[in-house]
Each structure stands twice: as C-alpha cells, then as structure tokens.
Amino acid sequence: MSLLKRIERARPAAEGENTNAPAPAAQAPVPVPSTGTPAPPPGGGGAAPGRPFLGAMPARESFREAKFRVQNRLINELDPKLDLSNQVEVRRQIEELFGKIADEEGLALTRAERVRMLEQITDEILGLGPMEPLLRDETITEVMVNGPQQVYIEREGKLELTNVTFQNDEHVMKIIQRIIAPIGRRVDESSPMVDARLADGSRVNAIIPPLSLVGPVITIRKFSATPFTVEDLVRFGTATPEMFEFLEACVRARLNIFVSGGTGSGKTTMLNILSSFIPDDERIVTIEDAAELQLRQEHVITLEARPSNIEGKGAIPIRELVRNALRMRPDRIVVGECRSGEALDMLQAMNTGHDGSMSTGHANAPRDMLARLETMVLMAGMDLPLRAIREQIASAVDLIVHQNRLKDGSRKIVNITEVQGMEGDVIVMQDIFVFEQTGLVEGKIQGKLRPTGIRPKFVEKFEAAGIHLPPNVFGSPF
C-alpha cells in the first residue's frame, strides 16, 4: 500500500470538526488551526442575542470543513506510484489537483483563502502539518505541542501561546510517526518516549499516553539553518570578542573543555562554536544520542546512539560508542552530552592522549559540573574511591565554560573557569572570565562580561602551540 493511501487511512473519517453538532449560540468560533485566521479572544466580540459575533465566518461552509473535504479528495486522486522524495513534482501535482478539485467543488474562497488552503494541505501531505509554519519561522527557537489543542513557542527566550491546533490525538501521533520513521525510531505504548531529530538537525522529544495525561506531547528545539557564528553570539551579548579569542586559543592548544549549563542555556550551540575552532587537518569523532552538532570540517565521523528494539534488545549507548571511538584513531572526541557512565570513558580518553576533547553537561555552576562528573563516574559501576575520581577529573579537565539563560530570556556565558588541580581532597578552580549583573532595566538584565585579571596556569600550552594572546585579553595592562 502506498504512503499516500496510508495517510488517507490514518485520518479519522470525519478529519475535522463534527459538522453535525450545531455551534452554541453565544460562543466564539473554534480557532482555525495552523496559519488560519485566529479566533476572537474569549469574551471579546460578543453581541446581543440574535446578532452575530464580529468577525464570524460567513453563512457558508467553514474553511476547515472545506479544507478537509478537498484534502481527502486530493489524497484519493494523487497517483499512488508518485515518488514522494521528488518534492518538486509532488508539489506540482498537488497544485494541479487542488485547482481542479476546488473548481469542481465550487468553493466560495477568496484568493488569500485558496493560497492558505493549498499551503495547509501541502504541509499535511509533505510536511509536519500545523507545525510547518512554526518551523519555517526563523524567530522561533522552540515548539512545544502539549496535546492537540495547545501549542506554545519560544521566541527571544519567552514562551508564547499560539492559535495553532491539531484535530485530535491521532493527528499528533501521525506527525510523531512522520518525524521518527526516517531515522528508524519507534514510539508506542511499550516504548512511549523517543528522542529524534529533524532533517535540519533540530532536536525532537516525544512522549505519549499513558505516560502523558494531556495527549501526545512534542518538544522541538529548533536549530538555525545556518549555524550561529562567533559574530552572532557577540551581537547577542552571549560573550565578548576577547572571550572568544581566548576560547579559540584553548581549542587550538588542545585543552579539554566541558560546557555546562541548564536546559535551554545554549550548551549545544556553544559546543558547535568551540568545535568550529578545531583545525581542518584533524580527525574528529562526534558521539550523540541524536545527531545535532553541525561541524563544518571535512574529516568528521558522526556516531549516534541506538535505542533498544521492541524486544528491549540491541541498544547501543553512548558509553559503548566512546569506547569504540578510541579505536578509530581520533584526534578529537566530541560528545554531545555526558549523562552517566560515559563520563568515566571520556575522562580516560582525555587522560590517555586524546587531548582537545569536548563535551557538555547539565549543571548550575562550574563547581556543580565537577560534582556531577563525580556522580556520573560512579554511575559507571566502578567502585572507585572519591579521591581517585577527583584526581582523574582534575587531571583530565582543563576548562569549564558555564552558560545561563537569564530571567529576561537572554543566554550568556557567566563563567569561564580553569581547573587548576588538587589541593588535599579538593579540586582547585579559578575564574578567568565572569558575568557581573549590575541591574534590571525594563525587564532586561544589565551587566558586563569581564576578565578577572588572572592569567590561567595553562598559558604555557599556548606558547608551546605557537599561540600568543595579548595581555589585555585577561584584563592585565601588561
């Protein structure tokens, strides 16, 4: 059976609103999904009994009803042998059939409504349905589907409720299946959570009933079509040019770096920036749960962990991939995120000749990142004394770059901290750069990113690599 026939069969018979149930007399019209005209706000636009709401649909078939009727006919009439990978040809056929069906049905639509209907039908057949306009909007950084009737977005660090809706739970499930099918993932009652990615690298998480009580939930962390550059992050106020000059020197001098921060603080973006400083003549192996990093070097090997199959077997965790990467003659190992026992293998690699490796981790502060590394090493199942673990961490990790998403939604590097070594049973750390908040003006956090004036102990590695930084990078006059 062709994909288009499966699309048709997967749709509910009504595929739309219940047209037999009359609308209540004094309620606002149902919001139009996706890019449709938003409904009037609740309580607004009301009128006395017998008078229509301001902006209500004309006394004709609703846009949604017409759309689903045309959509079902169009899917039925599309050539079942059509190659869906040739999107140009598919779009051409959809446009031709849409024009023919719309004329046959005698739809009373304006030109703008016809264009909008065609876009929505095309998105349903070829894209991710109501989410497509949100994914195309470059100002949106995150899309959160909380069941079929509630979709939030993040724009400039702030959450906004949209007027986008899905038909029902089955409609959301169909979109989830469309996302995960190309990468061989699955989601069902026996495995109700899944991590995946879109074709552009955007991160996707989905969780479905019975774990979710609000219906299927999709969270998409969007990636920019073109990765952010140093200039972009300087313009955003994430860091200063001096900070990036220092970080580039650290990467080229093959220091081992962890990027820490909370959820949505920009760790993966920063790891992408740091990875861009790696010279083109080095062999890089990246290891991730779902491939997100966008490295531009030529010699890059991308490895992706594999979840278990329907029998609960066949899982390949990140830890196994880190071990395998050591046999692949890497110059650099870049792990998307350390979450558990793979931290021990990363530390071993950093201590056994794989200098210049990088990873990220969730933590609230640089010191907390070291504490989390201790915990993750213990999760590897090795009964190691705490002092031995700390010695491994102090010897392996040279630098921690800590990012925060501040209350006003801005993302900033708040600490660049050197790991200096051990004194007794304590790992000694020293801030090289810090962010100092000076106030709050109209909801925007005011502050400055500044060097502490302290030169790190690993500056000698810069000299050995032929890298010379001016003293003012560290805030020193000479």
Side-chain angles (χ1 to χ4, degrees):
M1 181 182 296
S2 72
L3 175 59
L4 293 172
K5 291 295 183 185
R6 290 199 299 274
I7 290 174
E8 177 192 2
R9 291 187 55 161
R11 296 181 187 282
E15 190 72 0
E17 301 166 323
N18 183 354
T19 57
N20 296 323
Q27 289 185 1
V30 177
V32 177
S34 189
T35 56
T37 305
R51 292 180 59 192
F53 281 94
L54 182 64
M57 291 291 289
R60 59 181 171 89
E61 183 180 38
S62 76
F63 180 88
R64 292 180 74 182
E65 293 168 349
K67 184 191 101 170
F68 290 122
R69 188 156 47 81
V70 171
Q71 184 173 296
N72 288 335
R73 273 198 61 186
L74 195 151
I75 291 174
N76 281 330
E77 295 184 22
L78 269 175
D79 183 358
K81 297 180 181 178
L82 196 61
D83 180 9
L84 292 178
S85 64
N86 186 354
Q87 295 212 356
V88 175
E89 176 62 20
V90 176
R91 286 179 184 277
R92 187 186 65 78
Q93 287 209 25
I94 290 174
E95 289 178 10
E96 289 181 0
L97 279 174
F98 174 80
K100 173 172 142 309
I101 294 170
D103 291 340
E104 289 176 359
E105 295 283 343
L107 297 180
L109 298 174
T110 66
R111 181 177 180 82
E113 286 176 329
R114 284 176 72 104
V115 170
R116 189 167 78 245
M117 185 181 290
L118 175 60
E119 288 177 353
Q120 291 181 8
I121 292 174
T122 304
D123 288 342
E124 280 292 339
I125 295 174
L126 294 178
L128 300 182
M131 288 196 298
E132 277 294 324
L134 305 180
L135 297 175
R136 288 194 290 261
D137 188 339
E138 295 185 358
T139 65
I140 295 173
T141 54
E142 197 138 4
V143 179
M144 292 150 277
V145 179
N146 304 337
Q149 300 302 318
Q150 191 182 70
V151 179
Y152 278 87
I153 60 169
E154 182 190 67
R155 183 184 275 121
E156 297 180 354
K158 299 291 186 180
L159 296 181
E160 302 175 19
L161 177 63
T162 70
N163 67 332
V164 173
T165 61
F166 291 77
Q167 278 306 113
N168 46 37
D169 285 358
E170 288 74 20
H171 192 185
V172 184
M173 284 297 301
K174 187 162 52 182
I175 298 301
I176 293 174
Q177 295 295 348
R178 193 171 294 181
I179 291 171
I180 66 177
I183 59 173
R185 301 289 171 96
R186 68 183 182 89
V187 63
D188 49 43
E189 285 194 8
S190 64
S191 179
M193 299 182 294
V194 66
D195 288 313
R197 66 182 187 279
L198 300 182
D200 64 358
S202 296
R203 180 190 314 168
V204 181
N205 173 268
I207 182 166
I208 67 171
L211 298 188
S212 168
L213 303 184
V214 299
V217 174
I218 309 172
T219 308
I220 300 178
R221 175 77 52 79
K222 284 179 57 183
F223 276 18
S224 175
T226 55
F228 287 126
T229 63
V230 169
E231 292 74 19
D232 291 328
L233 297 193
V234 169
R235 189 175 69 254
F236 299 154
T238 301
T240 63
E242 292 77 20
M243 282 182 171
F244 281 118
E245 187 177 2
F246 171 72
L247 290 174
E248 181 175 3
C250 291
V251 173
R252 291 187 175 275
R254 302 183 67 85
L255 300 184
N256 296 319
I257 302 172
F258 267 87
V259 180
S260 65
T263 299
S265 60
K267 298 185 299 296
T268 304
T269 298
M270 182 54 59
L271 189 60
N272 256 326
I273 294 288
L274 296 179
S275 299
S276 71
F277 297 142
I278 299 175
D280 289 332
D281 60 351
E282 295 189 15
R283 178 176 171 88
I284 307 167
V285 178
T286 70
I287 302 170
E288 301 168 86
D289 268 330
E292 302 169 27
L293 294 173
Q294 299 168 294
L295 273 63
R296 297 304 186 191
Q297 292 87 341
E298 290 186 5
H299 201 163
V300 178
I301 311 299
T302 302
L303 305 181
E304 185 177 68
R306 187 177 74 184
S308 57
N309 59 20
I310 196 167
E311 290 87 17
K313 300 178 181 178
I316 307 293
I318 284 183
R319 187 174 185 191
E320 295 296 326
L321 295 179
V322 172
R323 289 176 180 172
N324 189 78
L326 300 179
R327 307 183 185 101
M328 297 173 65
R329 199 264 177 215
D331 288 308
R332 310 262 187 162
I333 298 175
V334 180
V335 177
E337 182 179 342
C338 280
R339 294 188 179 91
S340 58
E342 63 268 10
L344 175 59
D345 299 282
M346 274 293 289
L347 294 176
Q348 297 278 40
M350 291 173 172
N351 275 323
T352 55
H354 296 89
D355 295 334
S357 297
M358 292 179 275
S359 185
T360 73
H362 283 264
N364 294 327
R367 175 69 64 179
D368 290 344
M369 185 68 246
L370 297 186
R372 282 217 66 222
L373 282 172
E374 294 176 15
T375 304
M376 288 188 283
V377 169
L378 292 172
M379 291 169 70
M382 300 294 181
D383 189 15
L384 298 173
L386 192 57
R387 181 177 175 83
I389 295 173
R390 289 180 177 173
E391 286 176 349
Q392 284 282 310
I393 293 172
S395 174
V397 182
D398 296 305
L399 195 71
I400 294 178
V401 180
H402 185 72
Q403 292 206 186
N404 266 352
R405 181 168 63 173
L406 305 181
K407 290 183 178 179
D408 62 354
S410 62
R411 296 171 172 87
K412 294 187 186 297
I413 293 178
V414 294
N415 297 89
I416 297 180
T417 305
E418 177 190 15
V419 180
Q420 294 185 330
M422 293 281 292
E423 281 189 9
D425 290 335
V426 179
I427 300 175
V428 179
M429 307 174 72
Q430 179 62 57
D431 284 335
I432 309 301
F433 293 88
V434 295
F435 173 74
E436 287 186 348
Q437 182 174 336
T438 58
L440 188 67
V441 178
E442 297 180 352
K444 293 290 184 181
I445 290 177
Q446 306 297 308
K448 59 182 179 180
L449 299 154
R450 66 168 185 84
T452 60
I454 298 173
R455 293 170 64 87
K457 289 185 176 180
F458 52 65
V459 165
E460 60 188 30
K461 293 187 178 181
F462 294 169
E463 304 295 334
I467 300 169
H468 304 284
L469 293 179
N472 62 354
V473 167
F474 305 106
S476 174
F478 49 82

